[in-house]
Amino acid sequence: MEKILYVSPFSNFGSAETFLNQTYRYKSSDFENHYLLFQTGPLGQQLEQQGAKVFYLGNVPDIKRGKDRAQVAKKIKQLVNEHNYKLVHSTTAVGALFTARTCKMMGVYHVWFQHGPVEGWKDRMAAILPHQGLIVNSHYTAQRQRALENPLRFFIPRKIPIEKILMGTDTVDHSKEEIKTYRAQLSDTYQFPETHKIIAMICRIEKQKGIHVLLQSLQQLSSMNMTEGYQVLIWGDPREQDYLDDLKKQIKDENLPVTLAGRCESPSLALSASDIVVNASTSPESFGLTVIEGMMAATVPVVPNEGGPVEVVSNGKNGMVFQARDSVSLAKNLKILLEDNDFREKLSQQAQETAINKFTAARAIGHLESFHQRIIVNKGK
């Protein structure tokens, strides 16, 4: 049994943290996984509830501060000496910046997962630090990472493998009765007819997620004489308070059929009860976990024509693709799905088939473990 230490600077629940949680839930008997989190939070709580061994740094370090880097290095040295890890897996470039040199000094193999977005000096620097493998979640992410590395290409050994691992989600096991009951609860709580179609978004409430683009598309739907028959539910924690306030004002002033529903406690149930799930990000997403969560729940995804999501969704086959940042294009897609029940049902079935065949969490973690095993067996070469 090989021991792996997963290092994460974060402990909230975005796609990177969801993936880390899956590494324990779906691990094989060939690996013993431990976790070093820089801060407490939902990820640590869930891992501990499952019986995982979780260590905490005790504070959130700043990569620019030497004493903070030294603190992380000391902790990793302690854990490696105590548990004899064969490999350390860092989450994001930030994780790699804190761990790569220490792993080299300790003779431990190191890989890091570029979850994206790829955008700055941290991603560049992580590429030239010691590691035996780089993991990405889409072809788009791989291209962006390599483009960012170009100025430093003479310092980066090209023998280091890049592995694309398609992220996965849990299969949905909610009964039809459970979904029907939850949908009725949503209707009662947010005061809309049960016959209305539900358009869902699940994301952090911040400008780059493009919630304002969705609201603008609803204005376009109104100009297309479509003002009834649907309700928009947006779940998520606020990241930018000013943006949240602007959204609330727009919803109220324009009397839009939109509810900001707060944190989503059960994404799979919320998506199962919805008809359409929208990703409207204004900057390209590296992957878009909510997209495949919706597909697994047989909810039709509508995504922009850039970034990782468009590698998952085929327009008119298992979802719809609109022109990024274009509210008119998004509105046209929504209108088709809201009006054509047979077409929407066809897409929902094909979306779920795609998710089951390609995007299960068990498949993703199996792929990850195979990659880890190759690194260890090949002695990091």
Side-chain angles (χ1 to χ4, degrees):
M1 180 184 294
E2 307 290 5
K3 287 187 176 182
I4 308 291
L5 177 65
Y6 288 88
V7 177
S8 175
F10 317 106
S11 189
N12 52 359
F13 253 106
S15 60
E17 294 74 39
T18 298
F19 185 80
L20 275 182
N21 192 40
Q22 292 169 351
T23 63
Y24 192 81
R25 292 175 57 198
Y26 293 99
K27 71 181 181 65
S28 70
S29 57
D30 295 331
F31 292 89
E32 180 179 341
N33 298 341
H34 295 178
Y35 301 85
L36 172 61
L37 308 182
F38 291 179
Q39 54 190 299
T40 59
L43 172 61
Q45 293 168 5
Q46 289 204 15
L47 286 168
E48 289 175 336
Q49 288 169 4
Q50 296 173 80
K53 188 177 289 293
V54 183
F55 307 98
Y56 296 96
L57 194 62
N59 65 296
V60 182
D62 185 342
I63 191 63
K64 297 179 182 179
R65 298 174 61 180
K67 68 175 185 179
D68 286 8
R69 296 194 300 272
Q71 179 190 16
V72 177
K74 181 179 179 181
K75 185 68 174 181
I76 291 175
K77 288 177 183 177
Q78 171 201 334
L79 293 174
V80 169
N81 286 329
E82 288 181 5
H83 301 282
N84 193 30
Y85 300 116
K86 284 291 184 70
L87 182 145
V88 172
H89 173 122
S90 297
T91 298
T92 72
V94 175
L97 290 175
F98 275 111
T99 59
R101 292 190 183 279
T102 305
C103 290
K104 177 71 173 178
M105 291 172 54
M106 301 292 290
V108 178
Y109 305 134
H110 176 253
V111 301
W112 65 284
F113 199 151
Q114 173 55 285
H115 287 268
V118 183
E119 57 190 6
W121 68 268
K122 294 175 185 176
D123 303 293
R124 276 201 187 98
M125 294 305 299
I128 66 173
L129 292 176
H131 62 284
Q132 282 68 52
L134 171 63
I135 302 166
V136 297
N137 49 23
S138 66
H139 181 62
Y140 169 78
T141 304
Q143 286 184 315
R144 287 284 298 135
Q145 180 64 30
R146 282 308 187 220
L148 199 68
E149 293 170 5
N150 277 342
L152 304 173
R153 61 189 180 278
F154 298 112
F155 303 96
I156 303 170
R158 285 305 177 198
K159 64 182 181 181
I160 294 175
I162 290 185
E163 190 79 1
K164 185 174 84 168
I165 296 180
L166 299 174
M167 296 178 69
T169 187
D170 299 322
T171 54
V172 174
D173 57 0
H174 304 296
S175 68
K176 290 183 178 180
E177 189 60 34
E178 184 181 9
I179 295 169
K180 182 179 179 180
T181 299
Y182 185 71
R183 189 175 176 115
Q185 290 174 349
L186 292 175
S187 172
D188 182 61
T189 301
Y190 300 120
Q191 296 296 297
F192 63 89
E194 288 188 42
T195 54
H196 274 24
K197 304 296 186 297
I198 297 177
I199 300 171
M201 284 188 80
I202 301 180
C203 61
R204 295 185 300 273
I205 309 300
E206 58 185 358
K207 193 168 186 177
Q208 70 174 16
K209 292 301 181 181
I211 300 169
H212 60 285
V213 177
L214 176 57
L215 299 192
Q216 290 164 8
S217 76
L218 303 184
Q219 296 173 318
Q220 297 296 330
L221 281 177
S222 179
S223 69
M224 298 173 187
N225 297 319
M226 191 163 198
T227 58
E228 298 181 348
Y230 65 90
Q231 178 72 24
V232 177
L233 299 179
I234 300 172
W235 284 278
D237 291 327
R239 177 72 71 87
E240 299 171 358
Q241 187 60 47
D242 289 345
Y243 184 59
L244 175 62
D245 293 340
D246 289 343
L247 294 175
K248 288 180 177 178
K249 184 177 186 304
Q250 184 177 356
I251 291 167
K252 181 179 179 181
D253 290 349
E254 299 173 11
N255 195 29
L256 298 175
V258 178
T259 298
L260 298 171
R263 176 175 294 182
C264 188
E265 301 298 339
S266 178
S268 66
L269 187 54
L271 290 167
S272 295
S274 302
D275 300 283
I276 300 166
V277 57
V278 174
N279 179 309
S281 293
T282 56
S283 58
E285 294 268 8
S286 59
F287 185 77
L289 185 61
T290 304
V291 174
I292 61 167
E293 289 176 335
M295 294 170 73
M296 190 65 77
T299 304
V300 180
V302 181
V303 305
N305 63 340
E306 61 183 13
V310 80
E311 296 179 31
V312 176
V313 177
S314 298
N315 190 45
K317 295 182 178 179
N318 59 8
M320 299 291 281
V321 177
F322 69 96
Q323 185 70 35
R325 296 170 291 280
D326 187 333
S327 61
V328 176
S329 177
L330 175 54
K332 289 178 179 177
N333 280 268
L334 294 176
K335 187 173 188 292
I336 292 170
L337 293 173
L338 291 170
E339 290 183 335
D340 193 335
N341 293 333
D342 291 340
F343 181 58
R344 190 183 64 254
E345 181 61 28
K346 175 186 173 183
L347 294 189
S348 75
Q349 292 174 2
Q350 293 175 341
Q352 189 172 54
E353 288 175 9
T354 300
I356 291 171
N357 291 332
K358 295 181 65 176
F359 297 105
T360 63
R363 179 181 179 130
I365 302 310
H367 187 172
L368 175 70
E369 290 188 343
S370 295
F371 180 66
H372 284 170
Q373 190 65 50
R374 293 204 309 272
I375 297 294
I376 293 170
V377 169
N378 293 333
K379 301 184 187 309
K381 295 180 181 178

